[in-house]
Amino acid sequence: MCTVQAALQVAGTVIAYRQKKAENKAIRRDQDTTRRNADKGYLHDLNKIDQEKVNADMEKAKAEVKTKAERDGEIAQKTNLGFGNNTKIVQSIGALYDEDWNEITSGYEKDNQMFQNQKIEAYANLSKTYNSLRPPTEPSRTGLIIDVASSAYKGYETYKTNQEAKE
């Protein structure tokens, strides 16, 4: 036998245990949603960065074709006008356009470095989001059993004391 107070204390302990389990389930569900959203954001960032890289590749190709066309046109024009030694004309114009090629390549390499940095930043943001999620602490079944047993024992002791007092 035990007292009503002990029974309520046991019931309260069990309810608190179940409530903590339910809260942890909700926390895990929310964290899973946060992780899925972080993954979506990361994939969106990677997609955007890859699209920018494709655009940079196209710009580089266009610039190279344009520069080559201008160089070939200038060589043809000077050769047809008879400005002298064809080899010297090609060498002179080629040297001028090498500078353009270096500028195009340099700009492209800077863009690639920027894209790589953006990928690193996107992953850092994903990691930061993941690391900010604290796992919930599960309530202990052993603790529940000890609390229930303790409350039951106190109730039993109270009941025994009351019985002895009546006699």
Side-chain angles (χ1 to χ4, degrees):
M1 290 279 155
C2 66
T3 64
V4 174
Q5 181 182 4
L8 291 175
Q9 205 170 14
V10 168
T13 303
V14 171
I15 289 171
Y17 175 82
R18 288 181 180 168
Q19 183 177 356
K20 181 68 174 166
K21 291 285 278 185
E23 287 172 2
N24 287 345
K25 186 177 180 181
I27 290 170
R28 274 194 294 285
R29 185 187 63 238
D30 291 345
Q31 287 179 347
D32 287 343
T33 302
T34 301
R35 282 187 195 96
R36 280 193 303 274
N37 289 340
D39 290 343
K40 284 179 189 176
Y42 177 64
L43 293 176
H44 175 74
D45 289 347
L46 288 181
N47 186 31
K48 198 166 126 183
I49 292 166
D50 287 342
Q51 186 59 47
E52 288 176 6
K53 181 163 180 358
V54 167
N55 290 342
D57 290 342
M58 289 191 317
E59 285 181 29
K60 179 185 179 209
K62 286 178 187 176
E64 286 175 344
V65 167
K66 180 182 174 190
T67 301
K68 185 175 182 332
E70 287 175 359
R71 183 189 70 203
D72 290 348
E74 198 170 328
I75 289 171
Q77 181 184 16
K78 289 190 178 183
T79 302
N80 289 336
L81 292 175
F83 280 154
N85 187 349
N86 290 341
T87 305
K88 292 296 181 188
I89 291 171
V90 170
Q91 288 174 345
S92 171
I93 293 174
L96 293 174
Y97 283 95
D98 281 347
E99 291 175 17
D100 290 343
W101 184 83
N102 285 337
E103 186 178 315
I104 291 168
T105 304
S106 173
Y108 178 72
E109 290 302 320
K110 285 179 185 175
D111 287 346
N112 279 335
Q113 285 177 339
M114 181 183 67
F115 299 145
Q116 188 61 33
N117 289 339
Q118 287 175 343
K119 284 182 180 183
I120 291 169
E121 287 174 13
Y123 184 75
N125 286 336
L126 176 72
S127 296
K128 188 170 116 179
T129 300
Y130 270 41
N131 291 335
S132 70
L133 302 175
R134 274 193 26 232
T137 305
E138 286 296 323
S140 168
R141 284 186 185 173
T142 305
L144 173 66
I145 292 169
I146 290 171
D147 288 346
V148 167
S150 171
S151 297
Y153 180 73
K154 285 179 187 174
Y156 177 74
E157 285 295 317
T158 304
Y159 174 77
K160 281 279 228 173
T161 305
N162 290 342
Q163 285 296 326
E164 290 175 3
K166 286 183 180 179
E167 292 177 1

